[in-house]
Amino acid sequence: MERPGEAPRPAGGAAAGSVAVLIAATAAGAIARSDLTGHPFPLPGSSEAVGYFAAHPAPVLVWGAAALVAAAALAVLGAALAMAIPLSGRTRLAHWTAVVVPAISGIAALMLAVLGSLLAPGTVQGLHTLSVLTGGALHLATLGLYLAALSRSYAWSPAVRVLGALAGWFAFACLLALGLPEFAPMVAIAWVACLGWLLIAAHQVAFRRS
């Protein structure tokens, strides 16, 4: 088993690069689901959802692709960190959970983009709800659990460990804001905190002294 101070530089570069891709994919997915596209994204269960997916496949395609890219970036990040520092089985489980959840969102969104005009309304509503939950609240919560587990490693400085735990559990607590639009700023802060912590952690791995 490698000691924390013996992280190979390829692992550090892969960690830093994957976090950059994760941030870009998260931003692209958020833009695709925002009013910036010119077409307000429908809420799960709304009557406009079926017509939206039939008429506007492009932003849904971007949303789905961004979710899959984010999942792939998280997979690479976890593999890179596993090469660089000792990780517990609990942390590895949290990592793969954080990978699978956005992947489900991406697959559901791509099905809506490609087949939205052909599927039955009930199927469209179900895929829409599944994609929004796994690409939003559940994605953030599982990412938070991964951070909380990852931050327990003594490979990080004490300050980074504390910040990781705070960011991770804050993100998980955002599940309480599910379906409450007035708490959207808190969710946005949790996203920034998690992505910011991953950036700091990847930087520490990339520039760790061998």
Side-chain angles (χ1 to χ4, degrees):
M1 180 181 293
E2 290 183 313
R3 295 180 60 82
E6 297 171 347
R9 289 195 179 277
S18 61
V19 172
V21 172
L22 175 61
I23 292 173
T26 302
I31 292 172
R33 292 169 56 183
S34 72
D35 293 343
L36 294 176
T37 61
H39 308 286
F41 196 84
L43 295 173
S46 64
S47 58
E48 301 86 8
V50 176
Y52 177 89
F53 294 116
H56 308 291
V60 184
L61 189 64
V62 173
W63 165 29
L68 289 178
V69 170
L74 276 170
V76 172
L77 173 63
L81 293 179
M83 291 173 57
I85 60 176
L87 296 176
S88 67
R90 182 182 301 176
T91 302
R92 294 174 188 269
L93 176 61
H95 164 242
W96 286 112
T97 303
V99 170
V100 170
V101 167
I104 292 173
S105 176
I107 293 170
L110 291 181
M111 290 180 65
L112 288 171
V114 176
L115 303 173
S117 60
L118 304 176
L119 297 173
T123 303
V124 171
Q125 293 283 10
L127 287 173
H128 180 204
T129 301
L130 175 65
S131 191
V132 169
L133 285 176
T134 54
L138 293 180
H139 181 18
L140 179 59
T142 54
L143 181 62
L145 287 178
Y146 178 44
L147 261 66
L150 194 59
S151 66
R152 293 173 62 87
S153 172
Y154 286 99
W156 321 117
S157 65
V160 171
R161 293 183 66 207
V162 171
L163 289 174
L166 290 175
W169 288 115
F170 177 55
F172 183 76
C174 285
L175 278 176
L176 298 175
L178 187 63
L180 300 174
E182 59 269 25
F183 287 99
M186 184 177 73
V187 174
I189 292 171
W191 272 112
V192 171
C194 287
L195 295 175
W197 188 87
L198 286 175
L199 197 60
I200 294 171
H203 180 273
Q204 284 201 355
V205 170
F207 292 96
R208 189 180 302 280
R209 287 166 48 183
S210 58

